[in-house]
Amino acid sequence: MNVKLRVLSAGALFFLGQVAFAQTTKKDTTTTPTEIEEVVMVGFGQKKTIQEMTGSVSTMTAKAIADVPVASVDKMLQGRVAGVQTGSASGQPGGMTNVRVRGISSINGVSSPIYIVDGVRISSGDLSRQTTTANALAGLNPDDIENVTVLKDAVSTAVYGADAGAGVIVITTKSGKRGKPRFNFGFNSGFNDRAVKPHASFSTPDWQTYLVQAYSNRDNKAYTAEQIANGAVGGNAAGVFQSTNNTDWQKATQKFGYQQNIDFNVSGGNEKFTYYSSINYYNQESVVRGSYFNRLAFTNKIGYQATDKLKINTDFQFSYGKISTLSDAGAFSNPILTQYFNRPTDAVTNPDGSWNYGSGGRLSNGNFNSAALQDMNYVRGGNFRAFANLNAEYKILNNLTYRFVFSPEYINLEEDTYWNPIHGDGAGYGGYQQTSVNRYFNFNVQNILDYSYRLDRHNFGASLIQEAYKRDNKYLTATGITVGTPTLQTLTNFVVPFGYAGDRVLTSRYGYAVTAHYDYDKLILIDGSYRRDILSQFTPGKKAGNFWSVGVGLDLARFETIKNIDAISMLKFRASYGKLGNQVTANPYATYSYTTNYNDFAAATMNRVFNPNLSWETVNPLNVGFDFGFFKNRLTVTAEYYNKKTKDLIYNIPLSGAQGVNNPDDPRNAYYVDNIGTLVNKGFEFAVNGDIFKGDRDQLNWSVGANLSTLKNEVTELYGSDVNTSTTTVRVGEGVRTFYLRKWAGVDANNGDPLWYINGVDGETTNNYNLAKQAVQGSFLSNVFGGANTTLSYKGFSLDLQFTYGFGGKIYDNWANYLYSDGQYSVNYPGYGDVMGDYWTPTNTTASNPRPVIGGNKLSNSASTRFLYDSDYIRLSNARFGYTFSSDFLKGSGFGSLQVYVMANNAYTYRFDKNLKFDPETNISGYTDLSLPVLKSFLFGVNLSF
C-alpha cells in the first residue's frame, strides 16, 4: 500500500476531483489495485485517510486561495465551500466577515464557528472596543495557509464539544519538506473601487426642483424657485435656493484605494530538520479617505526528529497590524452619511482653499464637513499578535503515540480616538482624546494518546484527549478633553480628565474526550466520540456538558464486483448524528457592581439577575451523505442532507423597570437570561467537480466545479409569546432572522398617497399607516447559495474564474426613513438623488415614490417593505489570467518557476433586484448602516521561485 500524505480534511476528496484511487494497468483479471490514499487532518491534528471518513467536511486548497487579495481567511469562504454563507455589512479593510456554517444555530448565542490553526484554537471575531470591526483573524497571513477545512457534522466536530455547535474551521499552515532550500517570492499591487454602485446623491439643481414640488404640495400652491429664494417659505429654504454651490460630497470624501501584498518564504530540510519561514507585508486602502489596514507578519516553523521515537515541532507567528477606520451609522462625521445628509449647496472649502466649517462650526443644516474631519480626526488601532504552537510527539509503541501541545496566544490592541478642537464632535469639548489598551492572553494545553491496531482486514483506532483552554482579557482606557492646539494629540496634553475605565474578564474551560474508529477493509466504517466539558461561567451543577457523536459509512466501491468496473471509483454512503455544545457568552450570576460614585462613596447597583437553571445550548446534527467518483475520480459528485436541532436556546428576556433592575447605564440589567426554545436548520448540499481535459503544461487542461446549498431555518419551540420589534419577529414556524413589516402596496395613482396592505399580505389597501398590520416578510439569509469555478490552461496561459451566488434573502435599508423621506426631512437632509424622475406628479402617476410633501406624506417613510430588497445575486468573485514561463525559457536563470498574472476580485455583481444599491452579501447582517463600501480590486502580480 502506498500512502500519500496530503493535508486535507475528511471527505475533501469529493470537492477536489483529484485521483485518490489509482489502478495499475490490467494484464489479467487478477491484477491487484494499488490504493493511493489521501491523508487528512481532522480534530486535534489527527490524521485519517479519505476512505476512513464518515463525516461531512469541505476543503479549500492552497491553489484555490492563492493570491486572493483579502486581508483574512474568513473573506475567502463564500462560494468556495458548500454549506457556508459569509457576508460583511462593512467594507472596512481588515474588518470582520460574518461566517455562518449550515445556518444560524442560536438567537442570542454565538453563531460564528471556531477557528483551529494546526490543531489549536485561536482568537477570532472583533476584539476591539473603539474601532469598527477590527478582525482578530487579520493577524494571520493568508499566504501561509496550506488549506482550509470546514467541519460541519457531529462526527467531525464533536471532539471540540462545547464550542462546536456553530461549526469548526480548521486551518493547516504550510510546513517545510525535506530537500534543498526553496525560495518563493510573491507580489501583487493594484487599486480598489466600490464593488457595487450606490444610490445617487442629489445635485443642487435636482434638489431644488424636488423641493419646489414638495413645498408646492404642502401649501397647495405652485411655487417657483425664485419665490422660494426670496423667502416665500422661510429663510432656511431661501438659503438653499440662493446658493450657487453644487458639491458632490461623495467625490469630496472618496477616491480610488491602493492595495499591495508582498510575500517571501523559504522552506527545506533534511532527515532531522525541516523548516518554513515567511515574511509578509499587506496594505489595503478603502475608497473612502482615512480608512485602511496594513500588516507585517512573520512565521517560523521547525520540525525536529530528535530520536526514532521523539519528534518536536514548533510554530511561531508574529504580526503587527494597523487599522484606521471611520464613523458609521448616524454620526455626522460619517462620510457615507455625508453624501446623502449634507446639502450640495454647502461648499467643501472656502474660496481661499481652507476647509469650510460653516457658521458657528456647523454647516447650514447643522452637519459637519466630514471631508475636513477625514484629515483632522482619526480612529486607529494597532494590533500585535504573537502565537506559538509547541508540539512534542513520542512513539511509545509502534501503534501507540503520545502528544503534548502547549500553545499560548498573546494579543495587544492599542486604540486611539482623536477629535480635533476646531470642528466636529470635538469642538464642543475643546478637543477629545480616548486611549485604550486591550490585552488578551490565551493558552491551550492538550495531552493526546493515539492508538491504532490492525488485524487482518480489521482496523481499530482510538484516542484519549485532555484539553484546557483559558482566556484572560484585560482592558484599560482613559479619556481627556480640552487641548491647547490641534497639533497635540497625546492624552497628556488634554488637561481635563473626562473618564476612565478598566475591566478584566477571565473565562476557562477544560474537557476530556475519547474517540474510536473501526473499519473492515475501509468497506464498513464506524466512528464514535464522547467529550465532557466544564465551563467556568455556569453555576455549580450546570458547569459540565456531555457531548457525543456516532458515524457510519459503507463504501460499495470496495466490493469486488464493483472494483472491476473501471467507470466507478467511489460509491459511498455515510451518516452521522450526535450532540454538540454552542459557544455561550451568557452569565447566570446576579452580582452587585460598585462602579457608582455616591458622595465619594462606592455605591452598589444590581448587576444582572440570577438564574441558577441556565444551561448549555445544545445542538443535535444529523447528516446523511452520498459520494460518487467516476473515471478514477475525474468526475466526483457529493450529495448531503443535514438537520441541526438547537435546544435550550439562550435569550435575553426583557424586564420591566418596576422590577428594580433597569439600569440605563448597563443594558444587561434590563434582561433576564434564560433557555427559551428550540430551532432547526436543515437543507441539502451538492457538489460536482470534473477534470474535462487533463494534460501537461503545453496541452489543454480544463476543470470545472460547482456547489449548491439550501437552508431552512425555523424556530420550532418558544417558551412564551412571540418576540416582535418594529422590523423583526421571533416566533414558532419562522426563522430566527425574520423580517416583520407592513407590506408596501405602492402609490395611489389618483393622488400620490402611500398605500399599504391592511392585512400585511395582499388584498385591500389603506393610506393610513396605523391601519396596516405587520406580517412576516422574509428572512435575512439566502435559502439557496453556493458557487462555481472553472480553470482553463494551455501552453502556459491560464484562466481561473470563481463565481458565487445567493437567492432568497432580504436586506432592509435602515436609514431609508431619512433618505426616502418624501419631504419629511428633505429640506435639511436631501437623501437619495435617484428619486428624481420617479416620484408622483399629476403627469407621472405610475411612479414608485409618493408625492413629496414638506413635513411628510402620511408616514410614507415609516418602516415597511418599501425599503426591503431581495438580495438575490450572482457575483464574479475572482478572475485571474496568468502566464507561467516554461522551464526551457528559465534554463540558466536559476529560477524554478515564474508566473505573471492580472486579477480582479469582486469584479462584477449582478443584482436581480434593480432597486438594491447595497452589497448583496450584507444579507447576513440583514440591515444596512451607512457603513464603508465593500471593495472590488484590480491587481497585477508576479510569483517567483528559485
Side-chain angles (χ1 to χ4, degrees):
M1 177 181 293
N2 297 321
V3 177
K4 181 173 67 175
L5 176 61
R6 186 186 183 98
V7 184
L8 298 174
S9 66
L13 170 65
F14 317 130
F15 298 87
L16 296 178
Q18 296 185 351
V19 175
F21 185 89
Q23 190 168 342
T24 57
T25 303
K26 289 186 179 180
K27 293 185 178 179
D28 56 53
T29 57
T30 63
T31 302
T32 302
T34 301
E35 294 182 6
I36 303 177
E37 296 177 299
E38 298 282 354
V39 178
V40 304
M41 292 292 186
V42 289
F44 292 92
Q46 296 173 310
K47 304 179 182 70
K48 283 190 177 182
T49 66
I50 289 294
Q51 288 81 2
E52 293 174 319
M53 303 312 301
T54 59
S56 173
V57 305
S58 299
T59 294
M60 297 190 306
T61 63
K63 183 180 183 300
I65 60 178
D67 302 313
V68 176
V70 295
S72 55
V73 64
D74 52 343
K75 297 180 183 296
M76 299 178 179
L77 296 169
Q78 181 74 357
R80 291 178 169 87
V81 178
V84 176
Q85 292 191 65
T86 72
S88 178
S90 172
Q92 167 66 42
M96 191 182 71
T97 295
N98 295 315
V99 178
R100 303 290 180 261
V101 178
R102 289 185 167 177
I104 296 179
S105 54
S106 181
I107 298 178
N108 273 19
V110 177
S111 298
S112 299
I114 60 171
Y115 290 80
I116 309 297
V117 173
D118 296 330
V120 174
R121 180 175 173 177
I122 63 170
S123 296
S124 60
D126 184 5
L127 303 183
S128 67
R129 303 285 187 102
Q130 295 182 43
T131 54
T132 304
T133 67
N135 185 4
L137 292 174
L140 175 66
N141 175 19
D143 291 319
D144 285 338
I145 294 174
E146 181 71 26
N147 58 61
V148 180
T149 299
V150 182
L151 310 182
K152 297 181 287 188
D153 74 321
V155 79
S156 299
T157 62
V159 71
Y160 290 102
D163 291 338
V168 179
I169 296 180
V170 176
I171 299 169
T172 302
T173 61
K174 297 174 183 176
S175 299
K177 297 176 176 61
R178 294 176 182 176
K180 64 181 182 179
R182 183 175 179 86
F183 300 88
N184 298 281
F185 172 78
F187 168 83
N188 61 55
S189 181
F191 69 92
N192 299 317
D193 197 359
R194 283 176 174 262
V196 171
K197 186 178 179 180
H199 283 283
S201 303
F202 265 111
S203 66
T204 294
D206 284 346
W207 187 39
Q208 290 174 343
T209 298
Y210 188 75
L211 290 178
V212 167
Q213 189 69 55
Y215 276 109
S216 297
N217 290 336
R218 184 192 71 175
D219 298 339
N220 198 24
K221 296 176 64 172
Y223 289 115
T224 65
E226 291 75 17
Q227 288 174 322
I228 296 177
N230 290 327
V233 296
N236 187 16
V240 170
F241 282 79
Q242 291 167 4
S243 174
T244 58
N245 296 312
N246 188 12
T247 298
D248 184 342
W249 284 101
Q250 180 176 331
K251 184 177 180 181
T253 56
Q254 300 180 30
K255 60 176 181 55
F256 285 120
Y258 176 70
Q259 180 160 329
Q260 183 182 63
N261 186 69
I262 304 171
D263 187 77
F264 177 79
N265 66 69
V266 57
S267 62
N270 55 32
E271 294 298 320
K272 287 287 187 179
F273 282 96
T274 59
Y275 57 88
Y276 172 88
S277 294
S278 74
I279 189 168
N280 169 264
Y281 174 75
Y282 178 84
N283 180 48
Q284 185 182 48
E285 296 177 350
S286 174
V287 296
V288 183
R289 291 189 298 110
S291 169
Y292 62 81
F293 171 77
N294 54 57
R295 175 191 60 228
L296 182 65
F298 172 76
T299 296
N300 187 56
K301 295 182 71 173
I302 294 176
Y304 174 48
Q305 189 71 49
T307 69
D308 290 342
K309 291 181 174 293
L310 177 63
K311 183 176 182 180
I312 301 172
N313 294 284
T314 64
D315 179 7
F316 295 96
Q317 301 172 11
F318 303 95
S319 67
Y320 180 77
K322 188 173 182 180
I323 189 170
S324 178
T325 188
L326 300 163
S327 302
D328 64 356
F332 284 157
S333 56
N334 177 6
I336 305 301
L337 176 142
T338 289
Q339 68 189 69
Y340 304 118
F341 275 64
N342 281 23
R343 291 171 166 178
T345 50
D346 286 328
V348 178
T349 58
N350 297 312
D352 62 359
S354 61
W355 293 114
N356 172 30
Y357 301 139
S359 175
R362 298 260 183 164
L363 300 180
S364 65
N365 62 348
N367 287 5
F368 301 143
N369 184 340
S370 63
L373 296 180
Q374 285 173 287
D375 283 348
M376 302 168 71
N377 293 351
Y378 57 79
V379 181
R380 295 173 185 161
N383 187 15
F384 173 76
R385 176 180 181 265
F387 171 79
N389 188 341
L390 311 175
N391 186 316
E393 182 178 302
Y394 186 79
K395 183 178 289 188
I396 302 172
L397 301 171
N398 285 336
N399 56 353
L400 181 63
T401 302
Y402 167 73
R403 233 173 342 118
F404 171 76
V405 178
F406 175 68
S407 184
E409 181 183 37
Y410 178 84
I411 298 174
N412 190 71
L413 179 59
E414 298 177 352
E415 300 175 89
D416 291 286
T417 297
Y418 169 77
W419 297 342
N420 77 90
I422 297 174
H423 181 61
D425 292 300
Y429 298 103
Y432 176 99
Q433 172 73 51
Q434 182 181 11
T435 297
S436 64
V437 177
N438 196 7
R439 185 268 294 158
Y440 292 83
F441 179 66
N442 313 317
F443 70 84
N444 190 291
V445 176
Q446 301 172 10
N447 289 278
I448 303 170
L449 201 62
D450 291 323
Y451 174 79
S452 63
Y453 179 71
R454 180 168 185 172
L455 178 63
D456 192 21
R457 295 188 179 186
H458 300 275
N459 298 287
F460 303 88
S463 296
L464 296 176
I465 300 169
Q466 178 272 327
E467 182 192 27
Y469 181 82
K470 184 175 182 179
R471 180 169 180 163
D472 182 346
N473 175 217
K474 189 173 184 179
Y475 176 72
L476 182 64
T477 184
T479 305
I481 61 174
T482 310
V483 68
T485 171
T487 59
L488 300 175
Q489 299 178 7
T490 55
L491 190 60
T492 300
N493 297 294
F494 290 76
V495 298
V496 179
F498 194 62
Y500 61 88
D503 58 53
R504 187 180 185 191
V505 179
L506 290 169
T507 60
S508 65
R509 67 188 62 201
Y510 64 91
Y512 302 90
V514 57
T515 68
H517 171 83
Y518 166 78
D519 71 75
Y520 176 76
D521 196 27
K522 310 295 191 299
L523 171 64
I524 300 172
L525 308 105
I526 302 174
D527 282 303
S529 70
Y530 170 81
R531 174 159 177 159
R532 181 174 176 84
D533 271 325
I534 294 89
L535 178 64
S536 63
Q537 283 123 299
F538 288 124
T539 59
K542 296 291 184 179
K543 292 181 180 292
N546 300 307
F547 311 101
W548 55 271
S549 71
V550 61
V552 296
L554 177 64
D555 188 357
L556 299 178
R558 301 191 67 83
F559 282 113
E560 292 296 330
T561 54
I562 299 179
K563 279 184 180 181
N564 295 322
I565 303 175
D566 290 338
I568 300 176
S569 47
M570 181 175 12
L571 191 61
K572 188 175 184 180
F573 163 81
R574 51 192 166 81
S576 65
Y577 185 74
K579 177 183 177 182
L580 313 175
N582 198 49
Q583 298 179 74
V584 292
T585 57
N587 193 320
Y589 291 99
T591 62
Y592 288 102
S593 293
Y594 290 89
T595 57
T596 302
N597 185 324
Y598 184 78
N599 196 25
D600 287 340
F601 287 94
T605 56
M606 292 183 67
N607 186 26
R608 292 187 292 266
V609 178
F610 182 52
N611 181 0
N613 298 315
L614 187 68
S615 63
W616 298 93
E617 287 185 345
T618 59
V619 182
N620 293 106
L622 168 69
N623 188 85
V624 178
F626 295 90
D627 306 302
F628 307 96
F630 304 98
F631 314 112
K632 297 182 179 179
N633 285 337
R634 287 186 62 171
L635 173 64
T636 59
V637 180
T638 187
E640 294 185 273
Y641 169 77
Y642 66 92
N643 186 308
K644 286 172 50 177
K645 186 174 184 179
T646 306
K647 300 177 182 177
D648 298 322
L649 289 166
I650 291 176
Y651 194 74
N652 293 338
I653 301 173
L655 296 175
S656 167
Q659 294 171 281
V661 292
N662 192 1
N663 180 358
D665 296 328
D666 189 349
R668 293 175 302 177
N669 295 328
Y671 298 97
Y672 177 71
V673 183
D674 202 3
N675 304 102
I676 57 94
T678 303
L679 70 85
V680 172
N681 292 274
K682 59 185 177 182
F684 295 90
E685 294 173 5
F686 304 94
V688 179
N689 285 275
D691 293 323
I692 300 174
F693 299 108
K694 221 175 167 184
D696 59 27
R697 175 189 177 277
D698 294 327
Q699 295 177 313
L700 179 63
N701 292 267
W702 184 23
S703 64
V704 295
N707 66 78
L708 180 148
S709 303
T710 69
L711 170 66
K712 183 177 181 181
N713 176 272
E714 181 181 1
V715 176
T716 55
E717 292 180 280
L718 193 63
Y719 312 144
S721 60
D722 300 343
V723 181
N724 299 326
T725 72
S726 61
T727 57
T728 62
T729 184
V730 177
R731 58 178 58 197
V732 173
E734 302 294 340
V736 296
R737 300 290 188 268
T738 296
F739 286 108
Y740 188 60
L741 295 159
R742 292 168 172 85
K743 188 173 181 180
W744 179 251
V747 178
D748 191 328
N750 296 316
N751 56 20
D753 280 355
L755 296 175
W756 299 270
Y757 290 104
I758 292 177
N759 65 3
V761 181
D762 54 20
E764 189 177 355
T765 63
T766 178
N767 65 357
N768 186 334
Y769 181 80
N770 294 314
L771 294 180
K773 295 180 180 179
Q774 290 179 258
V776 170
Q777 306 293 356
S779 171
F780 295 21
L781 299 175
S782 298
N783 53 33
V784 177
F785 55 93
N789 62 83
T790 183
T791 299
L792 188 68
S793 66
Y794 180 69
K795 290 188 178 295
F797 292 97
S798 62
L799 176 66
D800 297 272
L801 301 175
Q802 173 72 43
F803 296 88
T804 61
Y805 63 87
F807 297 93
K810 302 284 186 178
I811 297 173
Y812 186 79
D813 185 351
N814 211 28
W815 289 91
N817 61 317
Y818 288 97
L819 303 175
Y820 273 134
S821 73
D822 304 320
Q824 182 174 357
Y825 303 108
S826 300
V827 68
N828 285 319
Y829 308 139
Y832 295 141
D834 45 22
V835 72
M836 290 302 294
D838 195 24
Y839 61 86
W840 187 94
T841 67
T843 59
N844 187 23
T845 59
T846 59
S848 302
N849 297 291
R851 181 173 65 111
V853 180
I854 294 298
N857 185 349
K858 298 181 179 178
L859 301 179
S860 62
N861 57 332
S862 297
S864 75
T865 60
R866 178 187 177 191
F867 311 128
L868 187 67
Y869 304 100
D870 294 331
S871 64
D872 301 348
Y873 75 99
I874 298 175
R875 165 171 278 169
L876 177 56
S877 61
N878 191 262
R880 174 181 169 132
F881 179 73
Y883 179 75
T884 302
F885 290 88
S886 67
S887 56
D888 292 339
F889 180 86
L890 298 176
K891 188 176 296 183
S893 67
F895 296 149
S897 66
L898 175 62
Q899 182 190 61
V900 295
Y901 62 89
V902 291
M903 178 184 288
N905 200 54
N906 290 339
Y908 175 73
T909 305
Y910 181 80
R911 290 156 290 170
F912 288 83
D913 188 338
K914 300 302 181 183
N915 295 316
L916 177 64
K917 302 300 174 79
F918 307 101
D919 192 272
E921 292 180 14
T922 301
N923 72 321
I924 295 291
S925 302
Y927 293 90
T928 64
D929 208 13
L930 297 174
S931 299
L932 293 166
V934 174
L935 303 175
K936 62 180 175 182
S937 306
F938 299 94
L939 305 138
F940 169 79
V942 177
N943 286 323
L944 174 67
S945 68
F946 53 94

